[in-house]
């Protein structure tokens, strides 16, 4: 069913912020995948390239006649001849045209590239993402902490977005700082928007085990049940990832920073499990009753059952939240080994942490944070030198305008 806004409210695999776009008139020859100056009846002028990932190239553009209004343009990379449109593009377009909520990125239009047989998406442009903000504090502010009000407002909005998605049976499956956008200007300044739905999917009554979809979630934010090969999983994997983001906002560094094994596909991520154990202690059938059903544990792959950390840091020290009992209690509940006991987004929003002063708000840069209400961070950089014009794009059926 159509999701409605009124519903309850680093390592390999990282992808750039979302965005896409298209057009109808032929463009000059140039870089593959770059959108033309006008597309599909939605005029826009490309300013530069933001980044490139496994599935697409991302640009920033302005609408013609409205230079202050920017769009993010995500051009999905063309598939191999005969393969048709990528399932990643189809999944992202299908879900984002249905999901309409203030803490989920808004798609502005979907377009088809006739010549290269690929799809593009256009989104509202966000000046920041959490990864950029964290990096700015580390590199430019000598690792000074993000204001407590701002951290609380970021988390409150992330959980509101997850509550909406989960209530509509959608798993994100790639929650991480670079996929959490933050609006920097205008009426939505300080507003958080969950982005990049390339790995998202509906999880109500799946026809096959979700594990058959392959590896999901960037490794540092991957829940224990995924690391141990669980065939079935729930929205609890998004909550675990959000808990990792919570701790990272507090400390400005990833909580579980394991070294990824990149081959073979599906290999046991031994070091990542070791990193989790070194902070939370080892998983046991007492704190994680589903362990026997996890294939990697059942087979004792890599002798994972024998993994016991010699030194345990403890979550209070590692997360930087030990001095705030309410924040630390919420984090503990988000990082429980047992996914059936892990707190839900709905429950988390009712937690005392969000009821205590300062109360969170929609503008994370509010004066309550010590800021002026406007973003104190520099806008996202883009590379003009890499921009060239691109292919002939045309509006996809039903793809124009807001979803």
């Amino acid at each position: 069913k159509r999701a409605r806004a009124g519903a309850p409210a680093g390592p390999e695999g990282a992808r750039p912020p979302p965005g896409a776009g298209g057009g109808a008139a032929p463009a000059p020859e140039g870089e593959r995948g770059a959108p033309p100056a006008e597309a599909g009846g939605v005029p826009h002028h490309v300013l530069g390239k933001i980044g490139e990932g496994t599935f697409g190239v991302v640009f920033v553009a302005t609408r013609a006649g409205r230079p202050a209004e920017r769009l993010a343009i995500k051009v999905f990379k063309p598939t191999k001849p005969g393969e048709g449109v990528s399932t990643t593009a189809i999944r992202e377009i299908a879900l984002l045209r249905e999901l309409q909520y203030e803490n989920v990125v808004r798609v502005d239009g979907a377009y088809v590239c006739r010549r290269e047989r690929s799809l593009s998406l256009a989104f509202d442009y966000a000046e920041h993402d959490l990864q950029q903000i964290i990096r700015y504090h580390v590199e430019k502010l000598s690792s000074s902490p993000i204001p407590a009000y701002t951290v609380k407002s970021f988390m409150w909005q992330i959980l509101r977005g997850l509550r909406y998605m989960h209530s509509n049976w959608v798993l994100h499956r790639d929650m991480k700082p670079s996929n959490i956008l933050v609006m920097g200007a205008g009426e939505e300044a300080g507003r958080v928007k969950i982005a990049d739905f390339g790995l998202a999917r509906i999880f109500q009554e799946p026809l096959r085990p979700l594990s058959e979809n392959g590896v999901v979630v960037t490794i540092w934010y991957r829940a224990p049940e995924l690391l141990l090969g669980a065939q079935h999983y729930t929205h609890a994997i998004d909550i675990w990832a959000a808990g990792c983001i919570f701790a990272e906002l507090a400390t400005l560094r990833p909580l579980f920073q394991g070294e990824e094994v990149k081959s073979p596909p599906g290999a046991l991520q031994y070091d990542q499990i070791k990193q989790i154990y070194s902070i939370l202690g080892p998983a046991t059938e007492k704190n994680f009753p589903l362990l026997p059903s996890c294939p990697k544990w059942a087979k004792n792959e890599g002798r994972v059952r024998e993994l016991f950390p010699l030194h345990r840091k403890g979550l209070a020290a590692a997360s930087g939240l030990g001095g705030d009992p309410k924040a630390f209690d919420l984090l503990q509940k988000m990082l429980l080994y047992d996914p059936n006991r892990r707190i839900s987004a709905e429950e988390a929003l009712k937690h005392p942490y969000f009821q205590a002063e300062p109360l969170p708000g929609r503008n994370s840069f509010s004066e309550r944070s010590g800021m002026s209400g406007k973003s104190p961070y520099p806008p996202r950089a883009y590379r003009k030198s890499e921009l060239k014009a691109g292919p002939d794009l045309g509006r996809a059926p039903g793809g124009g305008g807001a979803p």
Side-chain angles (χ1 to χ4, degrees):
K1 294 184 179 180
R2 183 176 181 84
R4 301 188 183 279
E12 184 181 19
R15 295 193 295 281
E29 294 181 359
E31 181 180 6
R32 278 176 70 89
E38 294 190 4
V42 183
H44 56 272
H45 174 70
V46 176
L47 299 176
K49 179 179 176 180
I50 298 173
E52 182 171 354
T54 304
F55 302 112
V57 185
V58 184
F59 303 88
V60 57
T62 61
R63 292 188 191 276
R66 287 182 280 175
E69 185 177 345
R70 295 191 174 188
L71 297 171
I73 311 296
K74 181 174 185 177
V75 181
F76 291 97
K77 292 180 179 178
T79 57
K80 296 179 182 178
E83 288 189 356
V85 178
S86 74
T87 56
T88 299
I90 293 173
R91 181 187 297 121
E92 190 159 2
I93 291 171
L95 285 173
L96 284 175
R97 285 187 59 79
E98 295 297 315
L99 295 172
Q100 299 180 48
Y101 190 64
E102 61 181 296
N103 297 122
V104 174
V105 69
R106 188 185 73 89
V107 66
D108 186 83
Y111 307 92
V112 62
C113 170
R114 299 189 186 96
R115 189 167 65 198
E116 298 188 10
R117 298 178 182 274
S118 65
L119 289 176
S120 303
L121 284 177
F123 298 91
D124 289 338
Y125 178 73
E127 289 78 2
H128 316 295
D129 61 58
L130 292 190
Q131 180 175 302
Q132 173 206 4
I133 290 173
I134 291 169
R135 186 185 301 119
Y136 184 80
H137 276 263
V138 172
E139 297 177 356
K140 304 297 183 182
L141 300 180
S142 302
S143 295
S144 65
I146 300 172
Y149 171 83
T150 301
V151 171
K152 181 182 284 191
S153 295
F154 283 162
M155 288 307 304
W156 180 68
Q157 295 184 72
I158 289 170
L159 288 165
R160 291 182 80 234
L162 287 178
R163 176 179 66 178
Y164 169 74
M165 291 162 50
H166 294 167
S167 69
N168 285 286
W169 299 96
V170 174
L171 291 178
H172 187 275
R173 303 201 301 179
D174 200 16
M175 294 288 291
K176 57 186 174 182
S178 61
N179 285 343
I180 309 298
L181 307 184
V182 184
M183 307 300 282
E187 295 180 356
E188 290 192 308
R191 185 75 55 83
V192 165
K193 294 182 182 289
I194 298 172
D196 199 339
F197 283 70
L199 289 178
R201 67 156 292 164
I202 293 173
F203 67 99
Q204 184 182 26
E205 299 179 358
L207 298 178
R208 297 192 302 270
L210 293 176
S211 60
E212 293 185 11
N213 293 170
V215 176
V216 296
V217 188
T218 302
I219 185 171
W220 294 344
Y221 310 92
R222 198 175 297 164
E225 59 266 34
L226 295 177
L227 291 169
L228 292 171
Q231 290 189 309
H232 300 281
Y233 50 83
T234 68
H235 53 72
I237 67 167
D238 287 341
I239 298 298
W240 176 278
C244 295
I245 293 170
F246 191 7
E248 190 166 345
L249 288 170
T251 63
L252 306 178
R253 61 181 182 272
L255 180 61
F256 306 120
Q257 195 169 353
E259 183 176 346
E260 184 174 17
V261 178
K262 297 182 179 179
S263 64
L268 177 72
Q269 298 296 339
Y270 188 89
D271 192 58
Q272 183 65 19
I273 297 172
K274 182 179 178 180
Q275 292 294 324
I276 294 172
Y277 281 16
S278 71
I279 292 175
L280 300 183
T284 66
E285 292 187 25
K286 182 177 179 180
N287 61 26
F288 191 0
L290 298 178
L291 269 178
S293 66
C294 294
K296 295 182 187 301
W297 178 271
K299 298 174 184 176
N300 197 23
E301 187 173 324
R303 301 176 70 178
V304 68
R305 292 187 190 177
E306 301 163 37
L307 174 58
F308 291 96
L310 296 177
H311 303 286
R312 181 177 171 184
K313 302 174 188 175
L315 184 59
S319 68
L321 293 172
D324 185 337
K326 292 183 176 67
F328 181 62
D329 182 71
L330 174 59
L331 179 64
Q332 284 183 305
K333 289 178 167 62
M334 297 176 78
L335 295 179
L336 289 176
Y337 276 121
D338 185 355
N340 292 326
R341 293 180 55 232
R342 204 172 295 155
I343 197 169
S344 69
E346 176 73 33
E347 293 166 339
L349 288 166
K350 298 175 182 177
H351 191 275
Y353 171 63
F354 294 117
Q355 315 307 319
E357 292 288 344
L359 298 177
R362 287 178 169 81
N363 186 350
S364 305
F365 308 135
S366 156
E367 294 179 357
R368 285 180 284 176
S369 68
M371 304 178 190
S372 63
K374 298 180 180 179
S375 170
Y377 304 107
R380 188 190 309 278
Y382 55 85
R383 298 183 289 277
K384 293 182 180 179
S385 60
E386 295 189 22
L387 174 67
K388 296 179 182 179
D392 169 30
L393 299 177
R395 187 186 302 275

